[in-house]
Amino acid sequence: MTELANDLGTQKISTLLIKQAAPATIGILVMSLNMIVDTIFVGQWIGVLAIAAITVVLPIAFLISSIGMGIGIGGSSIISRALGAGNSEKAFLTFGNQVSLTVILAILFVTVGNFFSVPILNLFGAKGDILPIASEYFGVIIYGVPFLAFAMMGNPTIRAEGKPKFAMYAMMVPAVLNIVLDIVFIKYFNWGMWGAGLATTISFMSSGSYILYFFLSSKSELKIIPKNFKLDFNIVREIVELGGVSIVRQGAISILMIVLNYSLFKYGGEISIAIFGIINRVMMFALSPVMGVSQGFLPVAGYNIGANKNKRVKETIKKAILYGSVLGTIIFICILFFKEEVIWIFTNDATLLTKTPDAMLIVFLATPVVTLQLIGSAYFQAAGKALPALFLTLLKQGIFLIPLAYFLPRYYGLSGIWWSFPIADVLSTVITILVLKREVDKNLKHSD
């Protein structure tokens, strides 16, 4: 682990952030591009309802797979700090426990998803003509979700090792494969939504398989050692406390999707769910650089927190916020000037082309400040402080956006749903600034 220590503990913060964030950004970009292309293909080759069906189903799949993501992020925080403190034994034990927890919980939740698929789809907004198409899609991709959960567990763990390029490859492989299989299964084999689901499932399996290959290879310093599979109560508790933040965040997003799809269907019908489906895909892709900065921040901050290098931790916070805010501003400017052109990529439906651009601009209004939210919660995860991390994570989706998306349309109709996004962003950013400033002043004031 000497090379990792030399890098994360001594290298320039700006260089480290770029080195960690660039592969994370590319990986997220490619994965988001995969989701966009998926939406484009089903929109162009199957229809508008297919876009709505994907909008309903994918949050369910990601809710289940978020178990793996939570275990990965919680475990990677422990691993980063353990490596920073020179405790490689704890890092290895944590990794073994991550694998066991992911496999057990993913299989359990997929089993539940299979038995209660229709009620779950109804809950998430599969109403009217959307339900049969969503059921066909969900019935296929549910079998790929355990592999996705394992991949999402492994990805932040690989970054905690200081190997961001391999984490990037793990996201790129399934994205490219899914695009190719979409073309073959939907356009040439004419398998419709079943084909789209099969392509997605195979891509999930490829991602999980690549992660497994990495940990079995000589490239990984964290080995899969059977004796470490035995669950250690203290390790599991710490993983759950920290990783639970990500799981609860995804749970809040899932509740948000239930509320959004309910409100969208009530005030705009199936077409409004398709509108949000397009906006959501664009948001995932456009915010990838900002998310990449946040992902790159975690191992750098975590290692230096573990090494008690407060000056480097403060510099990491400041530069991550600066880089992410600049990227967020650029993203908003691009949306401002090219919103119509972006929608043309997804569909030629006249209603979507008319209604989506203005709605998308409103949703993106607060993009320049979202980095503050992400870095605020990421800092507390890196520091191993679960409660403030959970609070900041829930601010936007749980505390502000869910009630806003439910109540505002009662007074302002469909536009109330779109305006709930920037309002929630601004409110959560203000609170995050106050909480993060207090933490820095209290616990990072002494320079090393």
Side-chain angles (χ1 to χ4, degrees):
M1 302 290 180
T2 304
E3 182 181 350
L4 176 63
N6 286 339
D7 283 350
L8 295 178
T10 60
Q11 204 170 76
K12 284 179 61 177
I13 296 299
S14 56
T15 302
L16 281 172
L17 279 173
I18 293 171
K19 186 185 292 186
Q20 291 284 338
T25 298
I26 293 171
I28 298 170
L29 274 171
V30 175
M31 281 290 285
S32 301
L33 181 62
N34 169 34
M35 303 295 293
I36 286 176
V37 171
D38 217 28
T39 305
I40 292 170
F41 287 164
V42 300
Q44 297 285 356
W45 296 334
I46 303 177
V48 173
L49 285 177
I51 297 177
I54 289 180
T55 304
V56 168
V57 171
L58 285 181
I60 306 172
F62 284 125
L63 174 61
I64 300 172
S65 62
S66 69
I67 297 163
M69 179 175 64
I71 294 168
I73 291 176
S76 66
S77 173
I78 301 170
I79 290 170
S80 291
R81 285 179 284 116
L83 295 176
N87 190 352
S88 58
E89 184 179 345
K90 183 176 182 180
F92 279 38
L93 178 61
T94 300
F95 174 61
N97 276 228
Q98 284 179 285
V99 174
S100 297
L101 283 172
T102 303
V103 172
I104 294 169
L105 293 176
I107 292 175
L108 173 64
F109 278 88
V110 168
T111 302
V112 172
N114 250 318
F115 278 104
F116 300 100
S117 60
V118 173
I120 291 172
L121 287 169
N122 281 326
L123 179 65
F124 275 79
K127 309 292 185 182
D129 295 333
I130 300 174
L131 180 58
I133 302 175
S135 296
E136 185 177 14
Y137 186 69
F138 183 73
V140 182
I141 71 165
I142 191 69
Y143 295 104
V145 170
F147 296 92
L148 178 62
F150 186 79
M152 294 179 81
M153 179 280 292
N155 206 277
T157 307
I158 292 173
R159 284 197 298 273
E161 275 196 61
K163 306 285 179 65
K165 288 185 179 179
F166 290 99
M168 175 185 72
Y169 300 150
M171 299 176 79
M172 292 179 67
V173 168
V176 174
L177 181 61
N178 192 31
I179 291 170
V180 173
L181 292 178
D182 266 342
I183 296 172
V184 174
F185 292 166
I186 301 175
K187 185 173 183 180
Y188 292 103
F189 289 2
N190 199 30
W191 286 350
M193 285 300 286
W194 187 86
L198 181 61
T200 301
T201 296
I202 293 174
S203 71
F204 289 167
M205 294 173 69
S206 71
S207 183
S209 300
Y210 179 86
I211 293 284
L212 179 61
Y213 156 76
F214 173 81
F215 287 126
L216 291 173
S217 73
S218 60
K219 300 178 179 66
S220 174
E221 296 176 69
L222 292 171
K223 302 298 182 184
I224 294 180
I225 304 172
K227 71 175 184 178
N228 289 333
F229 291 161
K230 184 178 179 181
L231 297 178
D232 179 280
F233 176 76
N234 291 326
I235 294 290
V236 170
R237 183 182 62 186
E238 195 171 357
I239 289 174
V240 171
E241 285 176 352
L242 297 171
V245 173
S246 296
I247 296 172
V248 171
R249 177 199 296 135
Q250 188 60 46
I253 292 173
S254 297
I255 295 172
L256 171 64
M257 291 305 301
I258 293 171
V259 173
L260 278 173
N261 288 336
Y262 166 81
S263 295
L264 288 166
F265 188 81
K266 180 177 180 180
Y267 296 97
E270 288 97 337
I271 194 73
S272 67
I273 296 179
I275 290 171
F276 179 70
I278 293 174
I279 294 172
N280 198 31
R281 297 300 176 274
V282 176
M283 194 184 306
M284 290 171 61
F285 180 78
L287 293 182
S288 296
V290 178
M291 294 294 295
V293 172
S294 174
Q295 294 291 334
F297 168 85
L298 273 168
V300 181
Y303 186 95
N304 286 284
I305 289 169
N308 291 315
K309 297 187 176 184
N310 291 347
K311 185 176 179 181
R312 287 176 62 82
V313 175
K314 287 193 288 186
E315 186 182 354
T316 304
I317 294 171
K318 290 177 182 177
K319 289 191 173 177
I321 290 173
L322 174 63
Y323 297 164
S325 297
V326 170
L327 289 169
T329 302
I330 294 171
I331 291 163
F332 174 71
I333 292 171
C334 291
I335 294 295
L336 178 64
F337 287 105
F338 301 106
K339 57 185 185 296
E340 287 87 2
E341 288 79 2
V342 169
I343 307 307
W344 272 102
I345 297 172
F346 289 89
T347 182
N348 54 12
D349 182 86
T351 304
L352 289 179
L353 290 172
T354 301
K355 294 184 176 181
T356 308
D358 289 340
M360 184 168 67
L361 181 60
I362 294 171
V363 170
F364 272 85
L365 279 175
T367 304
V369 302
V370 295
T371 301
L372 282 156
Q373 304 167 31
L374 296 172
I375 297 301
S377 60
Y379 165 78
F380 287 103
Q381 281 186 291
K385 298 182 178 182
L387 286 179
L390 178 62
F391 170 67
L392 293 180
T393 295
L394 290 177
L395 265 181
K396 178 184 175 179
Q397 283 92 354
I399 297 173
F400 291 125
L401 192 49
I402 288 175
L404 285 169
Y406 182 78
F407 287 108
L408 282 185
R410 292 187 172 191
Y411 304 99
Y412 303 103
L414 197 58
S415 64
I417 298 175
W418 311 135
W419 278 103
S420 65
F421 283 86
I423 293 172
D425 276 325
V426 171
L427 292 174
S428 55
T429 297
V430 170
I431 294 176
T432 300
I433 291 171
L434 296 174
V435 173
L436 184 59
K437 185 179 186 303
R438 180 183 178 187
E439 168 69 16
V440 170
D441 291 343
K442 180 180 179 182
N443 293 317
L444 298 178
K445 61 183 177 181
H446 299 297
S447 298
D448 40 282

